Amino acid sequence: MSGTKAIVLGGYGLIGSACMRALARAGFAVTGVGRSRASAMACDPAADWVIRDIPAMTVDEWRDLLAGADVLVNASGALQDGARDSLEAIHVTAVARLVDAAAPLPLRVVQISAAGVSDTASTAFFRTKARGDALLASGLEDWVILRPTLVLSSEAYGGTALLRAAAALPLVQPVILPEAPVQTVWVGDVAAAVTAAARRDIPAGTIADLTEAETRSFPDLVAAVRRWQGWPPPAWRPAMPGMLLTLAGRVADALGHLGWRSPFRTTALTALGDGIRGDPGPWQAAGGAPCRSLDETLRLLPATRQERLYARAFLAVPLAIAVLALFWCFSGLVTLLDPARAMAVLQDRAVPAWISGPAVFGGALADIALGLAILWRPWAKRAALGMLVLSAAYLAASLPAAPGLWADPLGPMVKVFPAMMLAAMVWLLMEDR
């Protein structure tokens, strides 16, 4: 396939990045498309990238992108509407414009959809995916639609990250959705299927699920991942009440409007509750190779120390963000509720009123601003860095202005250091991909 040009939309995502690597190994000249240059460079700085906001591209921009291409793989998508995502825009509008641009071209389009999509599905994710699939099938002649079940990979993102984190909980393993049936597929099998479709080894017009044959319950899947990670069996397996799960989904939805793509959002929970299942028959009938079972997939993915550390860090980071937000907002509010007392601490140490007043009010407002800023996903990393800088400024200013605070029995200055380390942890561990 030397010289054959392939374009991968969503090229730095979990599936997209695997497809780019597989296509490149197969001899394709591969170009990845995504909206974040930082994420693209973190994924593969040596790859060829086009940085575009896919939902915002016009038909003319699609024509320019597709010029000279032989294959386009659409691995872009979003789970739920949020501050950064619109399901209608990415799954329907973008596909409609792509179809308009691609219709006259000798181009094969490989669409990565999802097992279970339909016009009557219980979530907007599946319904908009189904509409995009229909637009593609009705508007083009050379297309293949692949619908994977739950994709497992050495990389963890979204639902697969939550799966790892749930399996890594110390001592306990909550029983969530015990009746939910789940099938999995290895990301390497998805990438191999995309490569086969790109080579045109799969007939045009094929719609097929990519999945293992075996089905298991979600708690059994979590238990299998826990064994794979190397943790001991849990001492306690409490049942997760449905009401608590619903509340968690609502909170995650609210955080979605702040830019957080939590795998606990109601779309993910509803899809999981409905079951993640597929039929491997049509894929094999189209000439595709069988997908590996869960046990075979886990044998291909060694559970290293890094795997175990990531699984627990995935739980620790949101807790750290919540603690920092409460700490900084509460610190500022306490000061604003009794500013005279705060200014007295400085004035008792001979700090002039013209300094103590602005310092107290400015510091309180800055504390609250940082506490709120860390909750807004696009600002979270910078807010954590701001907490470090402001904490260092407080410590430095306290030495000449109020050195006695360092000897206070309650240790108000010493306690700044743990908060700084928590902010540093968030700043170091925050990333999208």
Side-chain angles (χ1 to χ4, degrees):
M1 304 299 296
S2 178
T4 304
K5 183 179 178 181
I7 296 173
V8 180
L9 307 180
Y12 50 70
L14 186 145
I15 294 176
S17 59
C19 291
M20 286 187 64
R21 291 190 295 268
L23 289 165
R25 287 194 300 268
F28 287 84
V30 184
T31 296
V33 182
R35 64 182 168 187
S36 169
R37 182 172 296 279
S39 295
M41 292 299 101
C43 176
D44 187 352
D48 181 34
W49 292 101
V50 172
I51 306 304
R52 292 285 190 279
D53 184 8
I54 294 171
M57 290 175 62
T58 65
V59 174
D60 287 339
E61 288 174 321
W62 279 110
R63 290 193 183 105
D64 291 340
L65 177 67
L66 298 177
D70 301 285
V71 178
L72 180 133
V73 178
N74 183 13
S76 64
L79 178 67
Q80 190 167 323
D81 289 328
R84 295 186 290 170
D85 301 305
S86 165
L87 296 181
E88 182 74 17
I90 188 66
H91 295 161
V92 182
T93 304
V95 172
R97 292 171 181 168
L98 164 63
V99 168
D100 284 348
L105 302 176
L107 177 75
R108 165 155 286 198
V109 176
V110 182
Q111 168 94 333
I112 308 296
S113 186
V117 304
S118 77
D119 292 331
T120 59
S122 58
T123 68
F125 169 78
F126 286 122
R127 293 193 297 271
T128 53
K129 274 287 189 183
R131 289 169 58 198
D133 292 355
L135 286 170
L136 194 74
S138 62
L140 299 178
E141 294 184 1
D142 192 1
W143 53 266
V144 172
I145 297 173
L146 302 176
R147 294 173 171 170
T149 51
L150 182 64
V151 180
L152 299 183
S153 168
S154 57
E155 182 182 1
Y157 185 73
T160 58
L162 178 62
L163 176 62
R164 285 163 156 88
L169 285 169
L171 301 177
V172 301
Q173 183 183 309
V175 178
I176 302 173
L177 301 172
E179 305 302 322
V182 182
Q183 289 170 284
T184 65
V185 60
W186 180 45
V187 72
D189 286 336
V190 177
V194 168
T195 302
R199 286 173 165 163
R200 292 176 168 79
D201 296 339
I202 304 300
T206 296
I207 300 177
D209 296 332
L210 299 177
T211 182
E212 63 174 334
E214 183 182 353
T215 303
R216 66 198 53 78
S217 70
F218 183 69
D220 286 345
L221 175 59
V222 175
V225 172
R226 188 184 185 97
R227 290 192 298 272
W228 166 71
Q229 289 175 329
W231 304 114
W236 186 34
R237 293 170 54 91
M240 177 74 76
M243 184 178 297
L244 184 58
L245 203 59
T246 300
L247 177 61
R250 297 285 174 80
V251 171
D253 286 352
L255 292 174
H257 295 291
L258 296 177
W260 299 95
R261 293 170 169 169
S262 169
F264 253 119
R265 286 177 290 176
T266 52
T267 292
L269 295 177
T270 301
L272 183 58
D274 292 343
I276 302 175
R277 293 167 292 182
D279 178 5
W283 173 243
Q284 294 179 40
C291 296
R292 289 166 175 81
S293 67
L294 173 64
D295 290 340
E296 291 172 321
T297 295
L298 295 180
R299 282 196 291 270
L300 288 168
L301 304 173
T304 61
R305 180 172 179 270
Q306 291 92 324
E307 167 69 39
R308 289 184 285 273
L309 287 174
Y310 171 84
R312 288 194 166 167
F314 185 81
L315 295 171
V317 169
L319 292 176
I321 290 171
V323 168
L324 286 169
L326 287 172
F327 172 77
W328 284 81
C329 286
F330 189 69
S331 173
L333 286 172
V334 167
T335 301
L336 291 180
L337 288 174
D338 194 357
R341 184 177 177 184
M343 285 187 285
V345 172
L346 297 177
Q347 291 169 358
D348 289 347
R349 291 164 172 81
V351 176
W354 66 272
I355 294 179
S356 62
V360 166
F361 283 101
L365 293 175
D367 287 356
I368 295 171
L370 287 172
L372 295 175
I374 202 169
L375 295 174
W376 174 245
R377 176 61 183 88
W379 294 350
K381 191 166 184 174
R382 283 172 287 181
L385 183 59
M387 290 173 178
L388 282 170
V389 172
L390 189 57
S391 296
Y394 287 154
L395 292 175
S398 71
L399 291 172
L405 290 176
W406 287 84
D408 190 299
L410 296 179
M413 304 313 297
V414 175
K415 290 175 181 175
V416 174
F417 289 101
M420 291 179 70
M421 291 308 300
L422 199 62
M425 184 191 81
V426 170
W427 180 65
L428 289 170
L429 296 182
M430 282 283 295
E431 64 173 51
D432 271 337
R433 300 285 181 182

